[in-house]
Amino acid sequence: MASKSASAGKEKLIDGEEEVLQAVILADSFNKRFRPLTTQKPRCLLPICNAPLLDWTFESLALAGVQEVFVICRSHAELVKEAIKESKWSKPGSGMKIVPIMTAKETFSPGDAMRDIYTRGLVTSDFVLVMGDLVSNIRIDEVVRVHKERRKTNNNAIMTMVVKETGARHRTRPRGESSVFVLDPETSECLHYEHVQGYPRTKVVNIPREILEAHPEVDIRNDLLDCSIDVCSVEVPSLFQDNFDYLDIRRDFVHGILTSDILLKNIYCYIAEEGYAARVQDTHSYDSISKDILSRWTFPLVPDDNHPGGHIYEHTRGNRYIAKDNTVVLARTCNIGTNTLIGSSTKVSENVTLIASVIGQNCTIGASSTINNSYVFEDTVIGANCTVEKSIIGAGVQIKDGSHVQKGSLIADGVIIGPNARLEPFERLSTRRKEADIESDDDDDSDVDEVEANQDSVDKTTLGPDTNAIVWPRGPPDEEDDEEGPENYRNQRFMRLGDNASDLDVSDEDEDSSSEEETSTEDEDDFHDRESLSELSDVSIHVPAISGMMADDEFRTEVTQSLERAFAEGHSVDNAAVELKTLRMASNVPLTRVKEAVVTAIVEKITLVDGDAATQRKEISSVIGRWGELINKIGGVDPVETVSILQAHCAASPRMPLFGQILAALYQEDIVEEDDIRLWHALPDSKGQDRKEGVETENFQKCWMIGSHMIQQFDAQESETESEESSEEEAEPPRKTGAPSVNPKSKDTEGIDGGESESPSEGVSASETSSTHPSTNTSEDEDDSEATDE
Amino acid sequence: MIEEQYYDSDLHKASPPSSTSCYLQSTQSVLDLATTSNNKMVAEPRSAITTHRSVEVLASKLRRRQIVGSRATALETLLVLRQVISKARFSNLEQLVAIIRDAGRRLVDAQPKEHSVGNTVRKVLHHIREEVHAATRGNEPAKPTSFSISKFVLQGQPRKQVVLQKSEVKGTLRENDPDDPDSFARGLKPVLMEAIQDVLDELETVYDNISKNAKDHIHSDEIVLTLGVSKTVEQFLKSAAHVRNYSVIVAETAPSYDGRQMAESLSSFGISTFLVPDSSIFALMSRVNKVILGAHVILANGGMFAISGSLMAATAARAHSTPVVVCAGQFKVTPLWNLYHEYGALDFGNPSDVLGFENGDLVDKVDVVNPYYDYVQPELIVAYITNDGDHPPSSIYRLLKETYDDEDNDL
């Protein structure tokens, strides 16, 4: 009923002028930072300040007037679906239509999810992309407005990222992974994006030279908090589809788009002046965002005002929030510290001290216990004389009398520990899964299995006699993890609740032997950086020299092979061009290289025909007619360069005599124009000056001579054309190329041939006799086209 | 804005099977319902849901603070109540009152800090009762509304007598008519719409009525001090400026710095205006002839909530025996009086106005308290200027009795 009426309302809206504002929530974290809390429910259903994270996200979107939300769920998708169905958002009047989308278990990254969105064709217009763990009060509708405004003038502005200014050391700013944004201060276009990792620490950021050339002023900012709110246009999912290797939205997509010189898309930043937005991306940010909510940075999304869970709290002095329904029992002697939230029906006994903590609903806290900077979910019982410090305690946990939970511990739902348990810092506990769960759970929880299997070897005496807990591995993993990404163990430490990772910072300064390798690479990086800055080389391509050479050779053979294949199998020009582009991206070589290779391949494709000049001519125009176009399709049209390359190649090849004819054929095909030939001719390099003496140079100069003749012909032609233009136009039947310029062209060919005859080269003299009439030339063209069609 | 559309579209959808269309022929209702079909079985749950929805939409807007400001919320509330009443099905007064109260309670719960919502609901209930009694009792002389100390005891339950008289129904309208249960509603709706229109008119003319007597309060060559930005105060000062030549000192009113906006508006109107920092209020007070403040809510005890800084200004005025006058619409008078016990009633806002989020290091170490309102005690206020005349704080209770029914004090 609800969804039906909502959709009816939506249809009505579509009929109107107003477009429906769509949002996509990626309700999966794609990482395991909250383990073991997330073994039984997804992260987006973990409560923060007693309301599920997903509700906070919905509330943020509702504030922006989003009407249609797609929730992409992967792990525990059924639970998410159920939660959405039961939440207030499914009721009529919520103004939002929420569609849960169950994506395949094989979706391992945000990139996969985006490809799924593309395949399903969910979005129809500009949409808001957020994560399922967002807490925000930013006016996203304002960002959308700015984005749409920009799209009107610049169709390539595909994305607007919302960032928030923080200090370098803000508690909400993730230390494990942050980012450097290079912005144009005037347009706030994001010119470059670089991911910054806590460990191994990113020390160097490379900024492409072109950016500094193109923009007189740039801001390089390391103080921006990435809010993970992106306003995307429709083509963003399709870009993910095209670039199947994009995994992360920031590290791969944004970085990839900005460094790509073929996509030519722009990404902008929106620096939010007002409002708050942050992602609960790890336990450390869980802590800081809880504190931000309690100290009202998210106003009006605060417990006493617009609590997403619909609870009502009373706000008292010192940001203490107590549930307002008169069900909370606070003992006379208990001590409630500042920045504390206590859910309804919770009992706090005598002499309890609560400091900066969040206590869920229906909890019981025994006498003389102390809870410090911790988060306790609902239905948990904490016994007498316990201490809990900087930890997250799941729902339905029982911590029996006299237990101590030290900082950084994560205790999953339903665990029982104690009495007198002593937990180590950063202990992670969960219960054994039920048999039924394991069977139904087709999720590849290999690590959970592993943990369960390894329990025999773990000493559990400190957990107390009544415990049902299984212990997750403590400390760093045994084998040194070679994971490069931000999920490595040491980097994870920056994301842990209660871990200040101070020792990591220290070890970073004086590198010990284990990380020596890394120091050297860093130094190398530094070296290259300086080198590339001092040299006039292409800074954006930051490849160590040797590997560059390797790639070059490899690339040449690859191109030749792929072209041979294309020639042999008769690919279309477009397909061949795409293949070459991909090759170029893969081996990271400049465009000129590709062009050289292509020109070479095409020239070599022309078979030498001895004696018969007409056949030779036909052969040339057939090859050029079929493949000439490819030269301009591989990216970047620079005919002058094409001619230079052709010259250079012919000079060193047995096909030298064909230069004139090939050039003429290229001209015929509109691949080079008259002006281009003139420009090429005027280049000092083309004359072959400053070249070493030898056969090649001689040939080189011969080529130039041929060019001179051609230009002479052009000049002669011009005056001729002017006088004859009108009559010629009438006389000529409509040609394939269909332009009046065709006419002089064919004559050029004639003239050039004649010109070539003057040159002493014997090869050229072979073509001398083959001066063709315009009409024959045309018929040949037609023959060629037929041949290609076959 | 967007939700508004939802809401409208929903109304249109729900309209065809509604049984309310018959009343609307005689009323100038906002709803232009074309088709009529008297399917009552369907209509009942439908209308319940739509009522629920329109209320719900406003409730979520209030909760999200998408509508702020006493007058704006009062207007919105009134429009929603009009929808609710026009759709409501009832056969006696109690049912109608229950429906309106239910909607009102939802709205008040959604945003307990916007008191004008509750006040509007109370006022509408009061008007409805009056109209119903007038309609059912025909030409019976209106109850004298004059108050005196001697009648004080009786005034405790002014409506009790009326309730007793309800059984002897006269006139054309009959409650609980077994033959035609809708007849009561049908007959009453035009009257109810008129009652709501009265409240609406009052809200729309509130500024004019308040500033009507401005020239009696502000004299030539006086220096007036004000705080923050208040449409009421602005109109009041501008109206006085037509006949008097005087100066205004506007305090900046940190952390919102609304005073700047106020100063700009006043000076562009041609009033000689000084913008001063909040810290100099006390120093300047000796030169000030009158402090004119706006109010967020006026409590039953004569105290009020006003923008933070008002208490400081009022206390400084007391030290210099400068009169403090408050301009406020009558819809801000609320029957609650114990709000100042509630810490949260001061409406603590976002710390970012005081301490920028970019001051990363400080955020972790400093607790910022940013109350939006101050509670100003009745002792510090000389008079309230309302659209219902001028009142000392001590007689606010009387204004309350006249405006609202006692039984509605607790919705």
Side-chain angles (χ1 to χ4, degrees), chain A residues 499-511:
Chain A
D499 194 344
N500 58 16
S502 51
D503 52 328
L504 271 189
D505 279 336
V506 171
S507 72
D508 220 23
E509 300 305 334
D510 45 1
E511 300 277 359

Side-chain angles (χ1 to χ4, degrees), chain B residues 207-208 211 214 230-240 266:
Chain B
Y207 297 143
D208 294 340
S211 45
S230 156
K231 195 97 178 125
T232 322
V233 174
E234 193 184 319
Q235 294 285 333
F236 186 82
L237 293 177
K238 282 179 179 173
S239 150
L266 291 178

Side-chain angles (χ1 to χ4, degrees), chain A residues 18-296:
Chain A
E18 194 90 14
E19 259 185 4
V20 176
L21 181 54
Q22 293 178 315
V24 172
I25 300 180
L26 301 185
D28 198 286
S29 51
F30 303 106
N31 56 46
K32 295 171 176 172
R33 296 171 190 168
F34 271 82
R35 292 262 161 141
L37 293 169
T38 51
T39 45
Q40 279 161 39
K41 58 179 164 189
R43 182 199 291 185
C44 61
L45 294 183
L46 290 182
I48 185 165
C49 292
N50 292 349
L53 273 169
L54 199 56
D55 279 349
W56 290 90
T57 310
F58 285 147
E59 190 62 53
S60 313
L61 293 175
L63 199 64
V66 170
Q67 289 136 300
E68 192 170 17
V69 182
F70 299 104
V71 185
I72 313 288
C73 338
R74 186 182 76 99
S75 49
H76 308 285
E78 285 301 329
L79 286 176
V80 179
K81 207 173 167 184
E82 197 66 21
I84 292 171
K85 216 168 98 189
E86 280 171 14
S87 74
K88 61 175 173 174
W89 304 104
S90 314
K91 289 189 190 134
S94 72
M96 280 209 297
K97 181 190 171 199
I98 295 174
V99 186
I101 305 286
M102 322 283 256
T103 185
K105 291 281 179 209
E106 290 73 42
T107 310
F108 289 119
S109 69
D112 292 337
M114 293 301 284
R115 285 181 272 279
D116 197 36
I117 292 167
Y118 175 79
T119 337
R120 288 168 193 256
L122 293 177
V123 291
T124 53
S125 64
D126 291 5
F127 65 101
V128 182
L129 174 68
V130 297
M131 293 298 181
D133 44 19
L134 174 77
V135 175
S136 150
N137 64 355
I138 282 181
R139 295 303 306 264
I140 303 173
D141 47 345
E142 175 64 19
V143 188
V144 173
R145 196 188 59 75
V146 171
H147 177 79
K148 287 194 168 158
E149 201 67 32
R150 194 178 288 133
R151 290 275 287 174
K152 277 181 196 156
T153 53
N154 178 3
N155 213 26
N156 286 327
I158 50 164
M159 188 160 143
T160 305
M161 302 186 283
V162 179
V163 292
K164 175 99 186 121
E165 210 172 294
T166 63
R169 286 158 55 90
H170 198 282
R171 67 177 170 203
T172 315
R173 186 179 154 81
R175 286 180 301 166
E177 42 176 2
S178 53
S179 4
V180 167
F181 292 91
V182 181
L183 303 177
D184 184 318
E186 219 161 282
T187 60
S188 72
E189 182 187 344
C190 186
L191 305 171
H192 190 67
Y193 173 88
E194 201 77 41
H195 181 75
V196 175
Q197 201 166 306
Y199 188 92
R201 196 149 64 156
T202 312
K203 289 177 173 173
V204 180
V205 171
N206 297 318
I207 297 163
R209 173 181 295 272
E210 294 83 27
I211 288 176
L212 302 176
E213 271 169 8
H215 300 268
E217 205 179 327
V218 290
D219 280 355
I220 301 173
R221 302 194 64 163
N222 191 26
D223 66 335
L224 296 175
L225 171 73
D226 189 347
C227 306
S228 308
I229 303 172
D230 302 323
V231 180
C232 306
S233 37
V234 205
E235 56 254 53
V236 170
S238 70
L239 281 169
F240 270 97
Q241 182 73 14
D242 295 344
N243 300 279
F244 49 85
D245 54 337
Y246 284 170
L247 301 178
D248 188 84
I249 293 176
R250 288 287 182 271
R251 264 173 294 148
D252 299 321
F253 177 73
V254 172
H255 185 85
I257 294 286
L258 293 178
T259 48
S260 155
D261 46 359
I262 52 169
L263 288 169
L264 300 174
K265 302 284 183 197
N266 308 56
I267 293 178
Y268 285 81
C269 276
Y270 179 90
I271 300 174
E273 299 286 331
E274 281 178 8
Y276 174 92
R279 254 191 80 195
V280 182
Q281 48 192 350
D282 44 49
T283 48
H284 186 265
S285 57
Y286 181 91
D287 174 52
S288 42
I289 291 172
S290 297
K291 291 205 159 77
D292 285 341
I293 293 171
L294 292 181
S295 47
R296 307 181 77 79

Side-chain angles (χ1 to χ4, degrees), chain B residues 18-305:
Chain B
S18 163
S19 65
T20 57
S21 42
C22 41
Y23 323 127
L24 296 163
Q25 290 162 347
S26 51
T27 57
Q28 293 293 317
S29 168
V30 279
L31 294 172
D32 185 19
L33 302 179
T35 51
T36 311
S37 79
N38 238 341
N39 189 348
K40 282 169 196 165
M41 299 314 286
V42 180
E44 189 69 63
R46 269 297 179 119
S47 74
I49 284 170
T50 46
T51 307
H52 181 76
R53 269 194 82 169
S54 62
V55 172
E56 218 45 43
V57 166
L58 178 61
S60 57
K61 274 191 189 174
L62 285 171
R63 212 179 312 118
R64 291 177 194 142
R65 310 250 173 167
Q66 285 170 326
I67 304 174
V68 286
S70 306
R71 187 159 168 271
T73 44
L75 274 172
E76 287 292 326
T77 312
L78 210 50
L79 293 177
V80 167
L81 286 183
R82 184 154 76 176
Q83 309 274 16
V84 170
I85 292 170
S86 71
K87 295 227 159 184
R89 289 167 47 86
F90 53 91
S91 53
N92 57 41
L93 182 61
E94 278 80 25
Q95 283 178 7
L96 175 63
V97 168
I99 289 169
I100 296 173
R101 272 192 169 195
D102 182 57
R105 201 179 311 116
R106 269 175 212 280
L107 295 177
V108 171
D109 285 347
Q111 190 47 275
K113 285 163 199 163
E114 280 294 359
H115 298 280
S116 60
V117 175
N119 294 344
T120 311
V121 176
R122 288 182 191 106
K123 182 135 189 161
V124 167
L125 284 172
H126 174 78
H127 271 68
I128 285 174
R129 286 202 190 89
E130 242 169 30
E131 297 289 352
V132 169
H133 293 140
T136 50
R137 281 184 290 120
N139 296 331
E140 212 169 273
K143 223 171 78 59
T145 47
S146 65
F147 286 81
S148 71
I149 299 290
S150 59
K151 291 182 187 168
F152 222 58
V153 182
L154 284 176
Q155 295 309 329
Q157 295 92 20
R159 294 288 165 211
K160 273 282 153 61
Q161 280 178 307
V162 180
V163 175
L164 287 175
Q165 288 169 357
K166 215 191 294 174
S167 52
E168 37 166 315
V169 178
K170 289 182 188 174
T172 50
L173 279 174
R174 287 185 59 205
E175 287 182 300
N176 299 324
D177 191 337
D179 304 331
D180 185 1
D182 282 342
S183 70
F184 179 72
R186 196 164 51 235
L188 201 59
K189 288 240 167 149
V191 189
L192 295 180
M193 288 300 151
E194 250 171 62
I196 288 188
Q197 195 58 45
D198 284 349
V199 183
L200 205 59
D201 290 345
E202 193 190 315
L203 268 181
E204 269 158 12
T205 56
V206 68
Y207 297 143
D208 294 340
N209 285 332
I210 292 172
S211 45
K212 195 167 54 190
N213 299 321
K215 63 178 187 300
D216 301 335
H217 291 276
I218 298 175
H219 308 290
S220 285
D221 299 326
E222 274 194 336
I223 298 176
V224 172
L225 182 129
T226 187
L227 220 70
V229 63
S230 156
K231 195 97 178 125
T232 322
V233 174
E234 193 184 319
Q235 294 285 333
F236 186 82
L237 293 177
K238 282 179 179 173
S239 150
H242 285 302
V243 276
R244 305 270 191 239
N245 190 13
Y246 65 100
S247 309
V248 181
I249 297 176
V250 185
E252 273 185 317
T253 330
S256 62
Y257 297 104
D258 283 342
R260 295 175 183 172
Q261 193 190 330
M262 181 76 158
E264 206 181 327
S265 161
L266 291 178
S267 69
S268 66
F269 192 74
I271 302 172
S272 101
T273 312
F274 304 89
L275 183 66
V276 299
D278 296 346
S279 49
S280 54
I281 289 179
F282 187 85
L284 288 167
M285 195 55 84
S286 56
R287 313 284 227 99
V288 172
N289 299 96
K290 203 165 274 162
V291 178
I292 298 184
L293 300 175
H296 170 64
V297 55
I298 301 170
L299 304 180
N301 67 345
M304 67 152 184
F305 280 100

